[in-house]
Amino acid sequence: MRTLFESFLWIALELTVLFVVISFVLSLLQSFIPYEKVEHYLRTRSKWKAGAFAIVFAFITPFCSCSTIPVVVNMLRNKVPFGLTMVFLFASPLLDPTILTVMGVILGWETAAIYTAVTAIFSVMLGFTLERLGFEKYVKPVMVEGYQSKHKKWDVKKALSETGQMMKSVFPFLIIGAAIGAGIHGLVPAEWIAENFGHQEWWLIPLAALLGIPLYIRLSSMIPISQVLLLKGMALGPIMALLISSAGASLPEVVLLKSIFNIQLVAVFVLSVLTMASVSGFIFYFI
């Protein structure tokens, strides 16, 4: 029991320190992001150049899947092309630099690099494909409240405040993830995980992708769980499929999307995330 508790404390402490430090630095850096200029750049550049910039914008504006929605609405109101807006919608919750740094420390930098490349490429492909297929017609005329795109000044106190607010929302999930990870580490036999989930059964990957959406496992919870599951012998493919689907198309986000998209576009968005999660899982399956 003592070893179990020590494992929980170590996982929780490691993740807490990483989240606080990285989030504080990112909050300071975001003070220099001129959001109005970014939106203007996305409107006026060539498709592929703007697509790459949309990925960078998603990377430097780390939002969870739900808090991405107001930014998406603001981009649509400012006539940012639909395809670029969808690229941002797909990429923003998946390319959180805090999560990616923690992923690199916990799961390995090679895994983090492959994850980043795969999700970025898929976000661009899916966003432009939906635009080409004419899904822009399923966007509702909506207004956005509470989102400001004004340039901010360097403000340490504000960065500390934003870090504190972020930790209030993330910390419970971080603790839950650490507790589950410690429980799996101390209570579930490695042989059982390896026997049931460690073998390379292809159907585990789409199954994990399907389970991710209703489970709504946040990345901050999933990473410590993933670390323990990998150490216990679980295959990486299903883990990455579960991670991407739960972060990219959670149930709360789907509900919010229904307020700005018609059901046809919501359904296609969910199917797109499931496709991204499954194919990404198979990529890790063959590596």
Side-chain angles (χ1 to χ4, degrees), residues 28-229:
L28 284 177
L29 293 177
Q30 287 190 67
S31 300
F32 296 97
I33 299 174
Y35 288 95
E36 291 179 348
K37 292 183 179 179
V38 168
E39 291 171 350
H40 175 73
Y41 186 95
L42 291 173
R43 290 196 305 269
T44 57
R45 293 301 184 271
S46 65
K47 177 180 292 188
W48 293 105
K49 184 181 292 184
F53 192 79
I55 292 295
V56 175
F57 183 47
F59 183 81
I60 62 178
T61 54
F63 298 107
C64 70
S65 57
C66 294
S67 55
T68 300
I69 305 301
V71 186
V72 168
V73 176
N74 193 75
M75 292 172 72
L76 292 171
R77 288 181 64 236
N78 283 283
K79 301 188 184 305
V80 174
F82 172 74
L84 295 175
T85 303
M86 294 304 294
V87 170
F88 176 82
L89 178 61
F90 283 117
S92 182
L94 296 173
L95 295 178
D96 184 331
T98 304
I99 297 296
L100 293 176
T101 304
V102 175
M103 182 185 293
V105 174
I106 301 297
L107 301 181
W109 293 106
E110 182 180 0
T111 298
I114 295 173
Y115 168 88
T116 302
V118 169
T119 51
I121 292 171
F122 264 99
S123 295
V124 173
M125 291 174 59
L126 290 170
F128 288 158
T129 299
L130 292 183
E131 181 181 53
R132 188 174 182 83
L133 293 175
F135 277 93
E136 184 175 1
K137 63 185 177 183
Y138 297 116
V139 176
K140 297 179 180 179
V142 293
M143 300 294 290
V144 62
E145 297 180 359
Y147 173 76
Q148 296 179 344
S149 58
K150 297 180 179 178
H151 180 52
K152 299 176 287 185
K153 296 181 179 179
W154 179 280
D155 193 335
V156 175
K157 290 184 178 179
K158 186 173 181 61
L160 286 171
S161 175
E162 290 177 349
T163 302
Q165 292 175 3
M166 187 281 298
M167 286 305 298
K168 284 182 181 179
S169 62
V170 170
F171 191 70
F173 296 98
L174 186 151
I175 293 299
I176 292 171
I180 295 174
I184 294 173
H185 178 74
L187 300 176
V188 182
E191 296 78 12
W192 186 85
I193 293 178
E195 180 181 351
N196 291 277
F197 301 103
H199 48 287
Q200 299 294 329
E201 294 290 352
W202 67 268
W203 54 267
L204 286 174
I205 294 173
L207 177 62
L210 284 170
L211 289 174
I213 294 177
L215 286 179
Y216 186 36
I217 305 175
R218 291 183 58 146
L219 287 177
S220 50
S221 297
M222 189 61 199
I223 288 177
I225 298 172
S226 301
Q227 179 193 26
V228 175
L229 290 173

Side-chain angles (χ1 to χ4, degrees), residues 233-252:
M234 185 172 179
L236 183 58
I239 291 176
M240 300 308 292
L242 179 66
L243 189 150
I244 291 171
S245 66
S246 61
S250 64
L251 276 180

Side-chain angles (χ1 to χ4, degrees), residues 90 126 210 213 249 264-278:
F90 283 117
L126 290 170
L210 284 170
I213 294 177
Q264 295 93 328
L265 184 51
V266 174
V268 169
F269 172 80
V270 173
L271 288 174
S272 299
V273 173
L274 286 174
T275 301
M276 184 195 309
S278 297

